[in-house]
Amino acid sequence: MVNIGLTGGIGSGKSTVARLFQKRGAYIIDIDAIAHLVEKPGGMVWNRIVEYFGRKILNKNNIIDREALGEIVFRDSEKLEELNSIVHPAVFDEWRRRLDDIGSKDEDAIIISDIPLLIEVGWHRAVDLVILVYTSPDVQTERIMERNCYSYKEAKDRLRAQMPMDEKIPFADFVINNKGTLEETEAIVDRVWKELPGKGRNAKNQEMKR
Ligand code: ATP
């Protein structure tokens, strides 16, 4: 099994690239989906979040309103840290469980986990390879303005709150340049896909730029 972390910045194209790898036979684990799962109403993580932030962060169905929670922690690093300390261990455990489960059934599995904050939370140390989906800040801004209907300022504020993508490059074993067309990205994915089987730790840093 090859355990790969796929990361990037907001709107850099992680989900898009994950789908391209899935088409070629990769198993995909979506870490955001795991976060949603562990935050289900009534569970331990849900209880602790409600205990700390109050019921004001719940919607009518008692589901955690991620927008409301995001607004709070976006402005308060102490609260963000507390939220992470509640959510991350549960997500990590479920992620490892899924990796083990796939690995036990298919020893040749190529597993790509889409983890937006892979490097920020230090989980790059828990994977064999890191793939970075890269776009320039300008392209990122354009794409999230279109996808999320953000104003230019909203998009820029979101970007500024993140680790700059250029600082992630040294952590990457493969950089997939997603600045161009989908066809161009698909061609890079094809080249990277061929490199993955049998790759363990210590793979050489290589940039797959056009
Ligand atoms: P987030 O982490 O914010 O959810 P992401 O990194 O998963 O984002 P995607 O949702 O895959 O990014 O892509 C962001 C937007 O850019 C989407 O609307 C997607 O359709 C579009 N997009 C991605 N890659 C390309 C491309 N090469 N050309 C044009 N549009 C693209």
Side-chain angles (χ1 to χ4, degrees):
M1 145 179 144
V2 190
N3 167 21
I4 298 158
L6 180 78
T7 196
I10 179 172
S12 66
K14 298 176 294 296
S15 316
T16 305
V17 167
R19 276 194 295 275
L20 296 176
F21 279 117
Q22 190 170 34
K23 254 177 41 186
R24 286 155 179 80
Y27 295 82
I28 303 298
I29 299 178
D30 178 347
I31 220 77
D32 279 342
I34 295 182
H36 276 105
L37 186 80
V38 303
E39 287 171 16
K40 269 201 183 146
M44 207 174 68
V45 169
W46 181 91
N47 274 317
R48 289 187 57 199
I49 291 175
V50 175
E51 207 173 80
Y52 184 80
F53 289 93
R55 297 189 69 87
K56 63 181 183 295
I57 53 97
L58 297 178
N59 69 19
K60 283 194 204 95
N61 303 321
N62 278 343
I63 291 169
I64 290 168
D65 179 343
R66 291 177 143 235
E67 284 275 313
L69 195 54
E71 277 300 316
I72 297 171
V73 299
F74 189 56
R75 290 163 217 292
D76 188 330
S77 58
E78 204 176 302
K79 288 188 173 145
L80 174 64
E81 221 168 279
E82 182 65 25
L83 177 65
N84 288 344
S85 76
I86 297 170
V87 176
H88 287 177
V91 173
F92 189 83
D93 287 349
E94 176 60 18
W95 174 45
R96 302 306 301 184
R97 199 193 59 71
R98 290 192 192 191
L99 287 170
D100 290 345
D101 187 45
I102 297 168
S104 69
K105 289 179 188 138
D106 180 358
E107 61 181 24
D108 297 324
I110 308 264
I111 310 174
I112 298 192
S113 304
D114 178 346
I115 309 182
L117 300 181
L118 180 81
I119 293 156
E120 292 87 332
V121 300
W123 293 2
H124 59 285
R125 291 188 287 269
V127 296
D128 297 325
L129 294 172
V130 173
I131 296 179
L132 176 68
V133 183
Y134 184 91
T135 45
S136 63
D138 285 349
V139 173
Q140 231 179 325
T141 306
E142 259 170 47
R143 289 191 184 148
I144 61 173
M145 280 174 70
E146 191 171 322
R147 186 191 61 182
N148 299 51
C149 299
Y150 285 153
S151 67
Y152 180 77
K153 183 176 179 308
E154 282 169 330
K156 282 288 181 198
D157 283 350
R158 294 291 186 296
L159 247 70
R160 247 194 301 276
Q162 296 203 327
M163 179 176 179
M165 201 127 52
D166 283 339
E167 289 178 20
K168 296 189 176 183
I169 291 174
F171 294 90
D173 297 288
F174 297 97
V175 177
I176 293 187
N177 180 346
N178 186 36
K179 277 190 285 193
T181 65
L182 279 176
E183 290 70 29
E184 288 168 332
T185 298
E186 193 139 13
I188 302 172
V189 167
D190 269 331
R191 301 211 304 270
V192 173
W193 176 245
K194 291 195 185 94
E195 300 265 346
L196 301 178
K199 278 269 156 71
R201 286 190 177 275
N202 306 320
K204 289 234 161 59
N205 189 349
Q206 32 187 310
E207 283 205 337
M208 300 296 289
K209 288 188 180 166
R210 278 171 36 86

